[in-house]
Each structure stands twice: as structure tokens, then as C-alpha cells.
Amino acid sequence: MAGHTYFDFIVPAGSLTDTDKIAYGDFMIKAEVLGNPINQDSWISGPENGFRCDSSPKVHYHGCVYPDVISQFWLTATPDVSEEAEHVWKAQNQPALTLPPSGTPKKIPGSRASGEPLQRMVNAADKKANNDKSARYCRTYWGRGYSQNNTMQCDEYPFQSTYQGSAMGGAATSHFSVDVISTAHNRKAGEHLDKFYNDQRILDQDRFYVDVLRADGQPYGRGDAIPVGPAAPIEYPQCENSSMPEVKDVTTKSPPTDTFQNYARNTPDGWTGGDSTYSVTLPDGRRLWVFSDTFLGPLNSDGTRPTNAKLVNSTFVVQNGEQLTTITGGTKENPDAIMPPTEPGYWYWAGDAMLADINGTKYLQVMYQEYHRFGEGAWDWRFNRNVVATFSLDDLREPERIDQLPSSANVIWGSALLEASRSGDGYTYIYGLSDAPINKKMRVARVKGTDLSRVDGWQFFDMQEGSWMRDEREGAASLTGVANEYSVTPWNGGFVLISQDSTEAFSGKIRIWHSCNPYGPYASRVDHNLVYHMPEPGPYGSYGDGNIISYNAHVHPSLQQGDVWTLSYNVNSMDNRVSWDGAHYRDPGIYRPRFVSFRLEPS
């Protein structure tokens, strides 16, 4: 039969440690049956080091515990703490996917599976050190305005109140994770942790494990936090005009070619060359150019580039009529990228840009892809993740915030954007690709409205399923043959896609496709889909140099005038020598965009 026994004991007065009055005791229970002693082997002893009694103010009331027993904190993923639960689970089970990245494999303690418990830490200065370090990383990865008017907070795991936290656990980044989550979720999870500390009498240096449960008490899994399945059926409305586009009157060296050439020759410290070359019209009518890798001036008097010229990974150039102004990060004396590297060996490349209306205020949003160099070889780098940077129009030198975008399917998002104001159905369309050396494949996502950071509202195109899907990994590739940058633009009641042809390596061909919808299917007329043949690349190109390549062809709606369209593409050299006879130094004109105009008319 079951039962229980109460017994009294006396322990020494204990000692005072800071404010904790602590005493240790031990016991052994000898049992008798009807006055006859039981065999000594059946005596009941306490744990090897006895028990601990305390009257610590850290847990509000006095009591006793077995200090050698490692306690267990169960974080249950109820709706009010689901974001915290997701972060803790990801840190424990998918540490390589957490931020900040680490030069060595991440191993984050705390779960029973790790075998490494956490230890509570009560020193206020040490907790602040944890918080300060984590906050620096949150600002790096989510921007200076990551709190979004105090609705979001920087969350860290292991917890700030542990010796395994970001600062106390070591100088490296392999032992912790940071994320930006709802302030309400973060605070409620903190309340649960404080209650656990109180109920289990967790004092300074006491050990405990952390594990996550679903709201129904079952083991938690990654899929519990991600909505999956169809979001909406794909509809295919017919075009009002089904004619295919015909390219006419192609003109090279179109505006703003001379504007950029003159600026590069004369600027003391601004843009003298760059790639990507996206553009967006600002509310005041100025044009903003978005560049990735950018050389800054000045050039030498003979037009060559000095070998100490500054190269930064991302810049803006603002065009006001014929006047250009370069915007960088950093300072005037030490300019840096608009999106500076988060860690050594990492950098951002720019994607397309647009204006977003967020709570009645217009912002600039620019998509970026982060890449990571993992070796010394020319191609020893790989895609890491997608983000969108949101800039105040009053200060374009640094993003207000940086939001992580879907990246789990290894899709590079930001090849092109089609704003809700031009898509015809109230959705903003986000274009990307599944990358490959050749035969790159287009991917399509969409979100209602104009705020790209609303990742909970993203839907992913799957033509075969006939549905927009909720999870990025459920989307599917569609058109084969696009390049890393392309454009989708309304035309004649339908949409045209313009891209470099990727069905062959380093192709000089820029092609056009047509669809009745922003998402396709896209088709082209064989032998009538060539917009322009870039003349520069390859040993038989205009430079006569096998190191010269051309890429990133797309249309600029900001330059469109009636039926006259303008596209840009980039030219580069794989001769990366930093020397007077290196390609980028003897001829700075190589690394500048080319602008080509043309007319489109129905075939």
C-alpha cells in the first residue's frame, strides 16, 4: 500500500553567503517491523551529499532540496510563449542554423540530450554582460530598430541568467544563439523561468536542464511551429491581349550611361564601378540605384584606378537629374558597406528593391543574400541566407531593421520584385531561383501588400500541386533558364520576364518570356525571344579577353518611357589581381553597368 511519512530534523545554523543563508544536513532512516530491526541493507539514506536548506531571497521563501539532483525546466509551447519555445528548440536541435554563425561547429548546451546542464547565475553585472553581448549581435543581424517600437526583443539561449550565456560561456560564438521574438512571448517565458527557479529552489550555480514540449505535453518538433500545406489555389486568368512581345529599335549606351561615366571620372570619393544595378524611384522623384560590390574613387589622372582604391560590398547611389551622390555605411574617412559583413568571411549581395508602406509610413526595402567564404579557392563560397533590410527614407546609411527571410530550401530570393501596385491582384511577387552552374530554375513567392518582412504571410508557388503553399520547402521550381538577376514587368495586359539565358554557361544572350500572370507559366517564341546579345564576354568578345564575363540583365521600370524600355547588365573580369596591370585597375570602365534601350510591341 502507498503512504508517506513526515519526520523532523535539525540542521546547523548554516552560513551566510552574500544574502543566502544556507545549511546542509544528512539523514538515514532505520526501519523496524514490530520492534525487530530490518536488515541494514534496507535502511534508507539520503543522497551522497545530503540535502540543502536555505532562506535565500532569490527564491522568496525558505525550504530544502537535494542539490545533487539536476532539476528539469520544461518549456511548454503554449501560444503565449511559442516564439520562445521555437527559439530554444532550434538552438538545441539545429544549432548550425542559428545566429551568430560560428567558425567551429555549434554545440549549445542545456538539453538532456546534450548532457550539459545550465547553471543559474544571479550576479547582476554578469547577467548584464550576457545581455549586452547578445544585444550587439541582435543589432548586427536585425538592425538598429529591431525592437520595432518595443514590440520585439532580443532573445538569447542559453538564458541571460546562466553561466552558459553568451558572454559568460566564452568569447566564441559556438555556444549560444540569439533571435528577435515578440516582447510579450519573451516576458512570459521569463515569468515561467522565474517560477521554475522559485519552485525548484535554484540558487547560484545550481544545475538544470531545459527541454521543450508541445502545448499538449508531447515532445516538440520543428514542424510544430511551421504552418504547412496549401494556402490558396492557383488561378490562371486569361490575357486580354495574348500577343507575344516583339523587340524593336535596340539602342546601346542609353541613359544614364554618360551620367555614370562622368561621375566615375570626376568623383573624389564616390562610386567608380559596381554591379547588381537595381533601381527604384523615391517618393520625391529621385532615383535610387542599388549596387553590390562597389569601387570608390578617386581615379588617377590618367583614368586608371589606384591599387589602394576602396572596395565595399554594398552601396546606394542617388540620382537627381544628372547629379549622382554615393551613400555608404561607415564614416567619410572610413567608408563601409551599407550592409557590412556580420562576421569575417561573410558578406551581402544586393537583390531587388522597392518602397513599402508600413503602418502608413513609406520605407525602402532592399533584399540581400548573405554568402560565406569557406576556403581559399576562387569558388569556395556558398549561399547562407536571405534577408530584407528596411531603411528609413530620412537615413539611408544604415537599415532600421533587418528581417530574416525564408532560407531553408536554399532558394536565393530577391532576383526580382513586382510590387502590389503593378501586379494587379494586391500581392507583391518575390522572385528567386534554385541556383546551378547552368539551367537555373525560377522560384516564385508572394505576400499580400507591400511589406516583404511579413514572412508569416509568404506563399510559395507550386504549379504541379496547383496551389500556393505555406512553407518554402513546399514550393517548386518553374521556368528553367533564368539567371541570378532578372525582371518581371507588366506589359500589354500580361507580364514579360527578361533575363540572361542560363541554359549555357556565360551566355551573352538576353532573352524575353511572356505570361498572362506574374507567376507564369512563361513561354517564348523560338527564334524571336532574343532581346540583345551582350558583346563583351569571352576571348572573341569586344575586349578579346577570356576573363571578361557579363551577367545580371534586367529591366528598370524607373527608366521606362512609354513603350521604350531600358535594361542594364553588368560586365566584370575574373582577373582579380590587385596590381597596376590587373584588369580592374588598368581599365576601371570594365566594371560598370551597360544600359540598352528598346521598344516592345505585340507580334
Side-chain angles (χ1 to χ4, degrees), residues 22 71 100 145 161 194 196 212 220 228 279 339 390 426 498 516 529 560:
I22 298 175
S71 299
S161 57
D194 286 342
F196 165 75
V212 184
Y220 187 90
V228 297
S279 67
M339 291 284 287
T390 300
I498 290 179
C516 293
N529 60 10
Q560 188 172 344

Side-chain angles (χ1 to χ4, degrees), residues 571-594:
V571 178
N572 205 338
S573 173
M574 291 188 286
D575 174 8
N576 290 317
R577 292 174 299 150
V578 181
S579 64
W580 65 270
D581 60 340
H584 293 300
Y585 299 91
R586 71 171 186 270
D587 186 356
I590 294 174
Y591 193 54
R592 290 176 193 159
R594 273 60 169 174

Side-chain angles (χ1 to χ4, degrees), residues 242-275:
S242 58
S243 299
M244 299 290 280
E246 191 85 26
V247 176
K248 301 284 187 179
D249 302 333
V250 175
T251 303
T252 61
K253 299 182 180 179
S254 300
T257 298
D258 289 343
T259 302
F260 274 102
Q261 296 283 51
N262 292 334
Y263 182 63
R265 278 195 295 265
N266 299 309
T267 180
D269 52 15
W271 180 100
T272 62
D275 65 357

Side-chain angles (χ1 to χ4, degrees), residues 30-40 42-43:
K30 300 179 181 180
E32 295 182 351
V33 176
L34 299 177
N36 297 315
I38 294 179
N39 186 289
Q40 183 173 341
S42 299
W43 293 356

